[in-house]
Every structure is written in C-alpha cells, then in structure tokens.
Amino acid sequence: MERPVDNIEYNPGKETMWWGTLGTMRPFQPFDPDLDARRIYAALDNKTVDVRTLIWILTNRTNAQRQNIAVAYHNLAQKDLNAVLKKALSGAVQELLLALLMTPAQFDSHRLRHSMEGLGTDEEALLEVLCTRSPEQLRDITIEYKQAYGRYLEKDLISETSKDFTKLVLAILKKEELNTTGEIDYQLIAQDVKSLKDAIIAKKSDPTPWIQVLTSRNADHLNRVFSRLEDMNGEPVDKTVQSNFSGDLRLGLRILVQTIQNTPLYLAQRLHTSMKKNSVVRGILVGRSEEDLLWVRVHFRKLANSSLYSTIEKEFKGDLQLALLGICRSEDI
C-alpha cells in the first residue's frame, strides 16, 4: 500500500499550515451525513461487520461531522450509534471508534475518569489532559464530567490526590490567565522570576509561588519568565523543578512546565515512551487530531528518528493499525 506523504517544514513561529489547521483531520467534502449513516448502517447490518468501512468513514470526518452522522444514523435506524458499535465490536478498535464519536469535552472527561478509576491513579494521564487544555476547555470538561458521570470532577481530584499535588491539580483545573494577552509586562516578569527564585532558595522549597504563577499567566509571559530564570540558574527550568521538588508534585510541575514551553513536543515525547500503551496512543491521536497533531508528528520524527506513521505500522496490526494510520494521516519525509 502506497503511503500518503506530507512534506512538513517545521516553523515554530507559524500559527497555521497553508490549509488553515495544524490538525490532520479536516472537513470532508462533499459531506452528506445521511449517505454516511446509510453506509454505516449497511456495514453493521451483516453477520460479519464491515469494520474497514466504519474506519474509513469515521477517520475521514471531523468531530462536528461525526456528530451529524450519529444524529442521521439515529434517525435512520432508530438506534444509538454508540450502543450499536459497542455491541458489534470489541477490544481496542471498539474503544477507538467510540472515542471518535465523543465530543472533545466528552473524550477528555472520559480520559480523566478512566485515569482515576480502579486501583491507583494514573497521574501522568490525568496531568496530560489537565495541562494541555485551555481554561475554557477545562470549564467545558468540568460540566461534561458532571453530566456524564454524575460526579464532581473537583471532588474526585481531591479524593484521588494528596497534599501539594492536590493544590496543583485544582489550580490547573481552575487556571485563569490574569495578565493581558499580547502585552509584555516587564515588571510582572521580573516579579514572577523573583517569586520562583525565592521559593527554591530556602532549605525546603515552597511550591505555592510556583503553583500560583504557573496557573495564572499565559504561555508567552511564562516562557519569558522561564528564559530569565534559566539564565539566572544556568539550567533548564525542568531541571530546576526536578532538583527542588519530589513525588507527584514534581511530576505535575514538570509536565506543566513542558506543556507551557511546547505542548506538541511533550506529547511527542509521551508517545515515544508509551507507544505500546493503547490508551496513550489513542488519547493523543484522537485528542489532538484537529489541533496540532502535525506538529506532534514533526517532533516525534526528530525524537525517534522515525515517523509516527511508520512507528504505528510497526507497533500495531490489523484494523487497529488501519484506524490509527487514518488519524495520523500520512508519512513525514
């Protein structure tokens, strides 16, 4: 099978690619949700489910288009598409296609709930969602979490974490960018640098200023703060955090710093170290498919010396491989 190829030139200063998105999924044209619903109905209306047709349709439509397809399917079959897919499919392919049918807020809520269910909490999965979402997205996730599970996200975070780590995750959940976007406030930069520096001078580091500053400023401001702090300390901020904090708090602050500095790079690193974990690969590919998956691919190739597309071909087989490649979209040369 000939691989689709994207020749992407990385330019950190560019906000969009020429087609207007950093994601791999773009609106399918001409789009006919009724036609797609009929095709899905036919694919499911056999003793042997036509999984490849399901994959082709659902990985070639945007989330908004998939929501329209689900409505059209319900009107056609008088059944909920999610329920039908749950019954017809199983395993990792089922999980991936159901993820594609969720809205972004539903999917992130699902990932947060999954990270806290069962024995122990998956702190990095929890932090990945919280640290890579905007304040507005986090508000939508909080509302959806309550609607989907009848539980308060804040209360679950409190029950599943402890001490300063609890303070950090709650601050991230409720983060607000209090400084003015587009304006460089040199006085506030100097003030924040001093606060972060002073907090780690004493014998016991104080996480409070770090939590307060990192969850109440925009990324442009914080990267200027980090740059000055690195000049003063002679080391990356990530190393400063690693040297002065411990446990889950250290993990949380490191991920927060990394996502502030470069979210696609952090996600590429996470994929590179977790490629055998279906939930991680599914979470990043589905969650970033309409945001910045192209940049994640660029960083992944630099880290792994192999493209994300080729790595998925190597690590996965069958229908799951086909679906993941459909989201990844193409090879990087």
Side-chain angles (χ1 to χ4, degrees):
M1 180 178 71
E2 184 177 349
R3 303 178 191 174
V5 174
D6 276 346
N7 188 1
I8 304 172
E9 181 180 348
Y10 180 55
N11 182 347
K14 290 178 71 175
E15 291 297 320
T16 59
M17 300 298 290
W18 65 270
W19 56 75
T21 176
L22 294 171
T24 57
M25 284 191 178
R26 289 159 278 161
F28 182 84
Q29 300 296 341
F31 175 56
D32 184 343
D34 294 319
L35 176 59
D36 284 342
R38 289 195 297 272
R39 287 172 173 168
I40 289 174
Y41 183 85
L44 292 165
D45 194 34
N46 293 310
K47 288 184 179 179
T48 303
V49 177
D50 184 356
V51 181
R52 300 214 158 191
T53 292
L54 300 176
I55 290 171
W56 183 84
I57 292 173
L58 295 178
T59 61
N60 279 282
R61 308 295 186 270
T62 63
N63 189 274
Q65 290 178 326
R66 294 194 295 269
Q67 303 310 314
N68 287 331
I69 292 169
V71 171
Y73 182 89
H74 188 275
N75 292 338
L76 173 68
Q78 296 300 303
K79 293 179 181 178
D80 178 68
L81 181 54
N82 285 280
V84 176
L85 287 178
K86 276 185 183 179
K87 186 175 180 180
L89 304 173
S90 63
V93 173
Q94 179 207 68
E95 292 172 340
L96 180 58
L97 296 188
L98 289 175
L100 288 169
L101 286 175
M102 297 179 193
T103 66
Q106 286 171 342
F107 184 54
D108 284 339
S109 298
H110 169 77
R111 294 189 70 202
L112 287 172
R113 183 74 198 121
H114 183 72
S115 74
M116 293 184 281
E117 281 183 321
L119 293 173
T121 298
D122 185 343
E123 286 84 7
E124 187 155 4
L126 184 77
L127 289 161
E128 181 204 312
V129 176
L130 293 178
C131 292
T132 59
R133 294 309 183 193
S134 69
E136 183 180 5
Q137 288 172 321
L138 289 169
R139 287 192 289 271
D140 290 341
I141 291 165
T142 301
I143 293 168
E144 180 57 44
Y145 190 92
K146 178 65 168 66
Q147 291 176 344
Y149 304 107
R151 308 167 65 96
Y152 290 99
L153 178 55
E154 183 175 346
K155 288 184 178 179
D156 280 353
L157 290 173
I158 291 170
S159 69
E160 294 294 329
T161 59
S162 61
K163 301 178 181 177
D164 288 325
F165 186 53
T166 302
K167 295 177 184 177
L168 175 63
V169 295
L170 292 182
I172 297 170
L173 180 65
K174 298 178 180 181
K175 62 184 174 185
E176 292 184 74
E177 296 173 355
L178 301 179
N179 59 314
T180 305
T181 301
E183 293 184 7
I184 302 176
D185 188 336
Y186 292 102
Q187 185 175 352
L188 185 60
I189 291 170
Q191 176 185 312
D192 288 344
V193 170
K194 185 176 187 305
S195 295
L196 298 182
K197 180 72 173 175
D198 289 350
I200 57 174
I201 288 176
K203 189 174 182 180
K204 181 175 172 55
S205 298
D206 180 8
T208 302
W210 282 78
I211 294 171
Q212 190 273 324
V213 170
L214 269 58
T215 59
S216 62
R217 312 282 193 263
N218 65 46
D220 287 341
H221 173 90
L222 287 171
N223 278 312
R224 289 185 172 90
V225 171
F226 293 162
S227 180
R228 287 200 187 182
L229 195 62
E230 288 175 347
D231 288 343
M232 291 172 65
N233 292 340
E235 64 181 12
V237 177
D238 180 68
K239 188 172 181 181
T240 300
V241 170
Q242 195 166 0
S243 302
N244 289 279
F245 300 100
S246 61
D248 290 339
L249 175 65
R250 175 168 62 190
L251 176 68
L253 287 173
R254 289 188 68 199
I255 291 175
L256 184 54
V257 166
Q258 289 167 19
T259 54
I260 289 167
Q261 291 179 318
N262 192 330
T263 293
L265 174 58
Y266 163 73
L267 294 171
Q269 290 168 336
R270 182 146 161 75
L271 280 172
H272 186 42
T273 58
S274 307
M275 186 53 68
K276 295 188 182 298
K277 295 181 180 178
N278 280 344
S279 61
V280 174
V281 178
R282 178 177 65 246
I284 294 175
L285 263 65
V286 173
R288 312 307 294 194
S289 61
E290 293 181 46
E291 292 191 39
D292 54 9
L293 189 53
L294 286 171
W295 276 172
V296 175
R297 280 172 28 186
V298 168
H299 285 296
F300 186 92
R301 183 169 181 81
K302 291 181 177 180
L303 286 169
N305 200 29
S306 175
S307 72
L308 181 56
Y309 194 94
S310 295
T311 305
I312 290 171
E313 282 188 315
K314 179 182 176 182
E315 295 291 341
F316 298 93
K317 304 298 180 186
D319 292 332
L320 179 59
Q321 180 203 73
L322 185 68
L324 291 171
L325 291 176
I327 300 170
C328 182
R329 189 62 65 206
S330 56
E331 182 66 275
D332 298 311
I333 59 173

